[in-house]
């Protein structure tokens, strides 16, 4: 077909599509879409999210108190979404977990939820570096009468993990949750995998990172680290996995 035979309307349409494509590509490179939202952040104005909460949340009364207390803190975006925390607590129950590990505590909302899911003789080793934040959660842990299950260690998490391995606790943990500094995610995962028994679960938070993992900026160390781990886990034959669009994205890795 010759150029002269193409209609004016077709030319205009083709030009318009080209402009839209280029603009979409350009703005897509500039800013990744915010795809997922926690219920206590952007999800508060989402009617579908509210439907999910209204028809699935079964929050322990003390969990509700701690969640509301945490919402008073300016950094409350760090709190695990209640719908995600409930999912992980249910998974811990499903595999009959007795020994759990949490890397990153913040105010301890998820710590409380996991501890509630453990049996009376269960233990949760909780790793954090901030007494200021963990002290917020302690009275609520006591009120829920699960504080005796929580072994809180205030020091760099990598040291705690190395201490556990040195103490001969490899392959003794049933459930692990990773939600700390992102540049160390791979280090946390590798040590956690050593500590985890076969059939145990590692839950890794923030794997979608507000959509920034789609186009990681080379100078954004956190996003690069998350994206690198996501790609690694996809090919890791030591685990089976699912990446879920819950909260800010959570990957569930089951040790084979």
């Amino acid at each position: 077909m010759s150029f002269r035979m193409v209609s004016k309307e077709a030319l205009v349409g083709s030009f318009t599509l080209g402009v839209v494509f280029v603009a979409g590509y350009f703005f897509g490179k500039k800013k990744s879409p915010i795809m997922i939202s926690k219920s206590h952040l952007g999800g508060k104005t989402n009617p579908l999210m509210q439907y999910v909460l209204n028809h699935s949340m079964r929050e322990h009364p003390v969990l509700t108190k701690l969640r509301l207390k945490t919402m008073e803190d300016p950094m409350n975006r760090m709190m695990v979404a209640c719908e995600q925390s409930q999912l992980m607590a249910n998974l811990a129950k499903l595999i009959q977990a007795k020994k759990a590990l949490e890397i990153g505590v913040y105010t301890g909302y998820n710590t409380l939820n996991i501890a509630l899911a453990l049996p009376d003789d269960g233990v949760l080793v909780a790793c954090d570096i901030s007494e200021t934040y963990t002290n917020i959660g302690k009275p609520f842990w006591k009120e829920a009468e699960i504080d005796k299950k929580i072994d809180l260690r205030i020091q760099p998490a990598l040291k705690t993990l190395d201490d556990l391995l040195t103490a001969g606790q490899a392959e003794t943990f049933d459930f692990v949750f990773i939600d700390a500094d992102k540049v160390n995610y791979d280090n946390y995962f590798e040590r956690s995998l050593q500590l985890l028994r076969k059939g145990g679960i590692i839950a890794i938070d923030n794997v979608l990172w507000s959509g920034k993992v789609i186009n990681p900026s080379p100078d954004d160390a956190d996003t690069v680290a998350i994206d690198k781990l996501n790609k690694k886990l996809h090919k890791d034959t030591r685990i089976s996995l699912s990446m879920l669009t819950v909260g800010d994205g959570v990957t569930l890795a089951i040790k084979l």
Side-chain angles (χ1 to χ4, degrees):
M1 179 184 293
S2 69
F3 178 79
R4 293 178 182 178
M5 294 175 64
V6 179
S7 68
K8 179 181 178 181
E9 290 79 5
L11 287 171
V12 172
S14 298
F15 176 77
T16 302
L17 285 173
V19 170
V20 170
F21 174 80
V22 172
Y25 177 80
F26 176 77
F27 288 112
K29 293 290 283 184
K30 287 293 183 181
K31 184 177 181 181
S32 298
I34 299 178
M35 301 168 61
I36 306 298
S37 185
K38 300 179 180 182
S39 59
H40 63 280
L41 299 177
K44 289 193 292 186
T45 58
N46 185 323
L48 187 57
M49 174 59 76
Q50 293 309 307
Y51 182 90
V52 169
L53 298 178
N54 292 339
H55 293 82
S56 69
M57 282 305 300
R58 297 181 177 181
E59 195 172 46
H60 189 285
V62 183
L63 276 171
T64 303
K65 291 181 182 180
L66 179 50
R67 175 170 54 81
L68 294 176
K69 179 66 176 179
T70 303
M71 289 304 295
E72 298 174 7
D73 182 67
M75 298 298 289
N76 62 61
R77 66 179 181 275
M78 295 195 300
M79 181 175 66
V80 178
C82 60
E83 65 276 12
Q84 177 185 332
S85 184
Q86 179 171 287
L87 169 65
M88 293 190 296
N90 283 334
L91 288 173
K93 291 178 184 177
L94 182 66
I95 63 172
Q96 299 181 321
K98 291 185 63 176
K99 193 173 182 181
L101 173 65
E102 184 176 45
I103 303 169
V105 174
Y106 183 41
T107 64
Y109 176 87
N110 189 68
T111 314
L112 173 55
N113 216 350
I114 299 299
L116 285 166
L118 300 178
D120 290 339
D121 60 345
V123 61
L124 170 57
V125 178
C127 310
D128 209 285
I129 57 172
S130 171
E131 287 188 294
T132 300
Y133 282 130
T134 54
N135 282 342
I136 294 173
K138 284 181 179 180
F140 297 92
W141 300 348
K142 187 175 181 61
E143 182 181 351
E145 299 181 344
I146 51 80
D147 52 311
K148 66 181 184 299
K149 300 181 190 178
I150 300 172
D151 177 7
L152 177 63
R153 305 196 185 189
I154 301 296
Q155 62 181 8
L158 288 177
K159 184 179 187 314
T160 296
L161 300 180
D162 287 338
D163 288 346
L164 292 171
L165 289 168
T166 300
Q169 297 194 45
E171 299 188 344
T172 65
F173 284 82
D174 305 296
F175 185 88
V176 180
F177 179 53
I178 299 175
D179 184 21
D181 56 303
K182 310 313 172 192
V183 293
N184 269 314
Y185 257 31
D186 188 49
N187 291 324
Y188 295 144
F189 172 77
E190 288 297 333
R191 286 166 173 78
S192 295
L193 195 62
Q194 293 180 61
L195 289 164
L196 194 70
R197 65 164 172 86
K198 289 184 178 180
I201 298 174
I202 300 177
I204 307 167
D205 201 20
N206 303 120
V207 295
L208 297 180
W209 206 226
S210 298
K212 290 188 285 186
V213 290
I214 296 173
N215 293 306
S217 173
D219 58 356
D220 183 345
D222 287 342
T223 304
V224 169
I226 295 170
D227 179 55
K228 183 178 179 180
L229 180 60
N230 288 342
K231 289 179 168 63
K232 169 183 170 176
L233 295 183
H234 187 218
K235 300 177 180 179
D236 197 327
T237 58
R238 300 171 296 174
I239 59 169
S240 60
L241 83 162
S242 288
M243 182 183 289
L244 307 180
T245 56
V246 179
D248 192 24
V250 58
T251 287
L252 303 176
I254 303 171
K255 186 173 180 178
L256 298 176

